[in-house]
Amino acid sequence: MMRKPECDYDVVIAGGGAGGVGAALGAAKAGARVLLVEKYGFLGGAATNAQVLAYCGFFQQGSKPIKVVGGAADLVLDELRKLGLDCEPFSSPTTLNWIILLEPEAVKLALDRVLADNGVEVLLHTRIAAATRTADKIQSVTLAGMDGRTRVSAKSFVDATGDANLSLVAGVPCRVGDLEGKLQAISAPVRIGGRNQNVPIDREAIKAAFKFYTGLWPSARDDGGIYTEVPNTGEMWWMMFDHQLSDLSSGSFSQAERAAREAAHGYVGLLRAHVPGFERAYVVQTGPQIGIRESRHPAARYELTHEDLATGRQREDGVAKAAWPMEDHTTPGQPIYTSVGGDGWASIPLDSLRAKGLDNLYFAGRTIGADPRAYASIRVMGTAFATGDAAGQAAAVN
Ligand SMILES: Cc1cc2nc3c(=O)[nH]c(=O)nc-3n(C[C@H](O)[C@H](O)[C@H](O)COP(=O)(O)OP(=O)(O)OC[C@H]3O[C@@H](n4cnc5c(N)ncnc54)[C@H](O)[C@@H]3O)c2cc1C
């Protein structure tokens, strides 16, 4: 008779955003039995649940795109290319950084495929709801899904939930926001259809249109916002609504979600009424949820610092590279960029991906250890794939 394995999985990963997908691929490539658990019915994290349609952090800042992220992320880019996205570095005219433009349905399908091809088991519509632990290890997690509650055990776990939801239920101390508890602004990008492609987008006309706004949620941006084309669709992507969240309660999020939807429809109504080319424009999609830049930071063994990034510190224990500038959104709608110094990238050490006091919990994506200013760089999705890849590999050999 075959012996039942001591654990159900080698690695359980909470969250299917860039960090979680990177971790799942990293762990699977290292030979682990991997389960990835995602609360929505699709993967992609902020790219697909909040319309964040550009991968940042793949390239250094500068006149030429120098790539700093590969490994698991390249498997994802290859899959996206098969679905018709060119994945070429695009220099954002508004921020002068190199990004990769996305189309959300391609992201969902590419991630389904790449995880299946690499043998990762995925449970969608399932949330990590609780954890059991000893003094220094997580033993099991409770999954809440369509079939009720089940418990799975694993040798190691990765918290890639963005909001540190696994760490929270495992009793890891968490800082909320910056050192004073202030959170980076939330924002609600929207996709717009029906625009006349033959009429160039007129930023001055967009700015002027906002003089007519009479709704409850005036935009914090006075520059017409950030917009791009969504590849292969004819749609426009537009970020114009930003909001300061005072806390992480469901009540505050509910109010913000309602405000963001009102704003999206109100703002697109302004475009229709006042901006040439938008006469037949409509909201293709908001959400499914508002874009959360910052929430909880679980205690890590090392917090990457602003100085590490400002000086481009390179370390022997580095497992990933941070190259995106520190993009501070403390004031809604008014981002401030501070470049990474040195050679244009800084090392992220393994200790930033390890929980303080728990030997088998790793962090990936925006849960990794970073001080408030360094966090404003490492949270982007390119870097999240890289920290995920490293966390998954480390978890697999723990
Ligand atoms: C408005 C806005 C604009 C941004 N612009 C950019 C940009 O242009 N480019 C860029 O690269 N980055 C951008 N960012 C930052 C980036 O999107 C996030 O920091 C990044 O997605 C973090 O990746 P992640 O995998 O750590 O978390 P996420 O992408 O948030 O993924 C976490 C996943 O975990 C799941 N989850 C949460 N709790 C549970 C649970 N208990 N059980 C199971 N699953 C759970 C969530 O559903 C989600 O799928 C932006 C962010 C915002 C909010």
Side-chain angles (χ1 to χ4, degrees):
M1 198 172 86
M2 274 213 346
R3 260 187 67 209
K4 193 173 180 300
E6 191 187 327
C7 286
D8 299 318
Y9 295 93
D10 294 320
V11 183
V12 167
I13 293 156
V21 169
L25 292 172
K29 289 263 167 218
R33 282 170 301 153
V34 184
L35 173 69
L36 184 150
V37 181
E38 166 55 48
K39 71 176 175 180
Y40 284 111
F42 50 84
L43 302 168
T48 50
N49 69 35
Q51 313 280 338
V52 177
L53 294 185
Y55 282 151
C56 300
F58 270 89
F59 305 97
Q60 292 180 204
Q61 245 186 336
S63 56
K64 289 208 176 96
I66 301 171
K67 197 153 170 285
V68 291
V69 176
D74 279 344
L75 299 177
V76 173
L77 296 185
D78 285 346
E79 209 59 53
L80 285 169
R81 287 190 190 99
K82 287 184 205 158
L83 291 167
L85 285 192
D86 69 14
C87 296
E88 288 299 311
F90 171 82
S91 180
S92 160
T94 36
T95 61
L96 301 177
N97 290 307
W98 294 100
I99 61 179
I100 294 173
L101 293 174
L102 302 173
E103 187 276 294
E105 294 307 316
V107 173
K108 291 177 190 171
L109 188 58
L111 298 183
D112 283 344
R113 287 180 175 175
V114 75
L115 292 187
D117 288 350
N118 284 278
V120 175
E121 201 176 315
V122 176
L123 279 179
L124 302 175
H125 289 282
T126 306
R127 226 175 236 271
I128 303 272
T132 61
R133 57 173 280 187
T134 60
D136 59 2
K137 275 190 169 27
I138 296 182
Q139 294 164 306
S140 69
V141 286
T142 301
L143 311 182
M146 297 301 283
D147 33 14
R149 290 186 168 233
T150 48
R151 195 191 277 190
V152 295
S153 60
K155 291 181 192 151
S156 299
F157 297 82
V158 179
D159 186 345
T161 60
D163 300 326
N165 289 324
L166 170 55
S167 302
L168 186 72
V169 295
V172 177
C174 293
R175 182 185 89 227
V176 173
D178 67 10
L179 303 179
E180 275 97 46
K182 198 165 180 209
L183 296 156
Q184 301 261 314
I186 53 178
S187 300
V190 58
R191 267 156 61 217
I192 300 172
R195 186 178 74 80
N196 182 345
Q197 308 278 303
N198 299 319
V199 181
I201 299 175
D202 181 346
R203 185 176 284 279
E204 292 308 313
I206 296 177
K207 283 157 68 175
F210 273 80
K211 296 197 188 90
F212 299 99
Y213 185 71
T214 54
L216 283 177
W217 305 102
S219 175
R221 296 180 190 249
D222 55 11
D223 59 357
I226 302 182
Y227 51 77
T228 60
E229 304 278 339
V230 181
N232 306 340
T233 64
E235 293 167 5
M236 172 178 159
W237 176 95
W238 192 32
M239 189 158 70
M240 197 64 187
F241 177 81
D242 310 88
H243 185 70
Q244 187 70 56
L245 209 62
S246 57
D247 58 61
L248 298 177
S249 66
S250 296
S252 291
F253 274 104
S254 302
Q255 195 252 12
E257 294 283 2
R258 288 193 294 265
R261 271 191 289 279
E262 287 289 349
H265 288 272
Y267 296 177
V268 173
L270 285 181
L271 299 184
R272 253 193 321 267
H274 301 289
V275 182
F278 285 87
E279 294 78 5
R280 299 168 68 86
Y282 57 90
V283 175
V284 172
Q285 196 178 17
T286 62
Q289 68 158 62
I290 203 159
I292 304 171
R293 281 204 181 76
E294 184 174 28
S295 45
R296 285 181 212 94
H297 303 276
R301 295 182 188 194
Y302 180 76
E303 279 204 344
L304 204 67
T305 68
H306 162 250
E307 288 74 25
D308 289 337
L309 292 186
T311 58
R313 183 177 174 198
Q314 297 179 15
R315 319 171 35 138
E316 285 190 355
D317 57 351
V319 291
K321 291 178 177 177
W324 188 255
M326 292 173 270
E327 182 186 330
D328 178 18
H329 284 261
T330 309
T331 307
Q334 313 289 328
I336 301 167
Y337 292 87
T338 309
S339 299
V340 176
D343 292 338
W345 59 271
S347 302
I348 301 175
L350 184 60
D351 274 356
S352 293
L353 316 185
R354 300 205 67 189
K356 211 176 193 170
L358 275 177
D359 282 343
N360 67 344
L361 176 62
Y362 294 82
F363 302 135
R366 66 185 179 86
T367 54
I368 74 165
D371 77 15
R373 295 184 69 190
Y375 174 74
S377 162
I378 59 83
R379 66 188 174 81
V380 295
M381 293 184 280
T383 314
F385 276 118
T387 56
D389 194 352
Q393 291 185 48
V397 296
N398 183 298

